[in-house]
Amino acid sequence: DIQMTQSPSTLSASVGDRVTITCQASQSISSWLAWYQQRPGKAPKLLIYKASSLESGVPSRFSGSGSGTEFTLTISSLQPDDFATYFCQQYDSYSLTFGGGTKVQIK
Amino acid sequence: EVQLVESGGGLVQPGGSLRLSCAASGFTFSTYWMSWVRQAPGKGLEWVASIKEDGSGRFYVDPVKGRFTISRDNAEDSLYLQMNSLRAEDTAVYYCVRQAGWRSYFDYWGQGALVTVSS
């Protein structure tokens, strides 16, 4: 199975900060990567697919980049609604796998 | 509006069985791959199983192979997960999710159903 490693596991930031989360795949997955946001007690929500494509309705402050084994999710200016946990997911293999998550908390 | 509503969760003893259901609406159910994804308390996400649009193809994560069965009824717009020989490590919130295609990302999620395996 393809292993997905996210860093950091926890991130403390303030409203207005630029935030970057990294996801590393154990082997090349081309651009077959998605990012999700999960608020406490809620289901995950799709943000980005195919590494850099923004899902409809998602604010433009969210962006994704990368290919192969290294990927990043960037929030250009952190908003109060963005304090949540973020997960990456690869879909290069039929055995779909997620990263361990990055919790973005208030500094 | 796409809606996925799970039911059937609850408390079950180790070794027991449970069947989860998911009622889908707001899209043409029979044209999408569907999956179950679970999340143990305080932990990350784990894909559990996927089923092809017509039910002819099914895939499972290794820890549930031989114990769980994913199925669907396209006439009823419903997805199911039959869980047998349950273990404590199967305790989790189980999400019904729509896949954007085969080997793809998950574009819509249900609210989740809690399954607790404990004596």
Side-chain angles (χ1 to χ4, degrees):
Chain A
D1 287 0
I2 299 174
Q3 308 303 315
M4 305 301 293
T5 304
Q6 277 184 246
S7 60
S9 55
T10 306
L11 185 160
S12 297
S14 302
V15 172
D17 283 353
R18 181 182 181 88
V19 166
T20 298
I21 298 167
T22 298
C23 181
Q24 183 175 41
S26 60
Q27 65 188 66
S28 177
I29 58 169
S30 185
S31 295
W32 306 122
L33 185 99
W35 290 97
Y36 302 88
Q37 176 193 65
Q38 186 177 33
R39 296 190 177 103
K42 300 294 186 182
K45 171 190 170 184
L46 177 67
L47 299 175
I48 302 278
Y49 61 94
K50 207 175 178 185
S52 60
S53 296
L54 195 67
E55 174 70 348
S56 176
V58 173
S60 60
R61 63 180 179 273
F62 291 94
S63 64
S65 64
S67 65
T69 62
E70 298 285 338
F71 302 86
T72 58
L73 172 70
T74 300
I75 309 172
S76 60
S77 177
L78 200 64
Q79 298 302 301
D81 272 352
D82 302 338
F83 291 99
T85 301
Y86 295 84
F87 295 93
C88 61
Q89 176 234 330
Q90 67 78 21
Y91 50 101
D92 181 74
S93 158
Y94 80 86
S95 185
L96 309 167
T97 50
F98 293 88
T102 296
K103 183 177 181 179
V104 177
Q105 60 187 21
I106 300 173
K107 193 173 187 178
Chain B
E1 178 195 4
V2 172
Q3 285 199 330
L4 300 167
V5 180
E6 301 93 340
S7 60
L11 174 64
V12 61
Q13 292 189 336
S17 298
L18 209 58
R19 189 196 198 204
L20 299 181
S21 300
C22 171
S25 60
F27 65 102
T28 306
F29 181 73
S30 62
T31 64
Y32 284 88
W33 279 74
M34 296 293 296
S35 292
W36 292 95
V37 172
R38 68 185 178 182
Q39 186 171 35
K43 301 296 184 183
L45 300 167
E46 181 180 43
W47 165 75
V48 174
S50 295
I51 187 167
K52 193 177 176 183
E53 299 97 325
D54 63 0
S56 62
R58 310 178 196 205
F59 296 90
Y60 299 91
V61 70
D62 283 348
V64 310
K65 283 180 182 175
R67 300 189 298 123
F68 290 11
T69 302
I70 188 172
S71 62
R72 64 192 297 162
D73 184 338
N74 287 344
E76 296 292 328
D77 291 347
S78 293
L79 178 72
Y80 305 100
L81 186 67
Q82 177 66 43
M83 302 182 290
N84 298 331
S85 302
L86 282 161
R87 305 166 181 168
E89 55 264 37
D90 295 318
T91 294
V93 173
Y94 284 75
Y95 294 101
C96 169
V97 294
R98 191 180 87 169
Q99 267 184 242
W102 175 60
R103 217 177 68 184
S104 188
Y105 53 90
F106 307 113
D107 57 359
Y108 285 94
W109 298 63
Q111 85 286 354
L114 177 61
V115 172
T116 303
V117 184
S118 174
S119 54

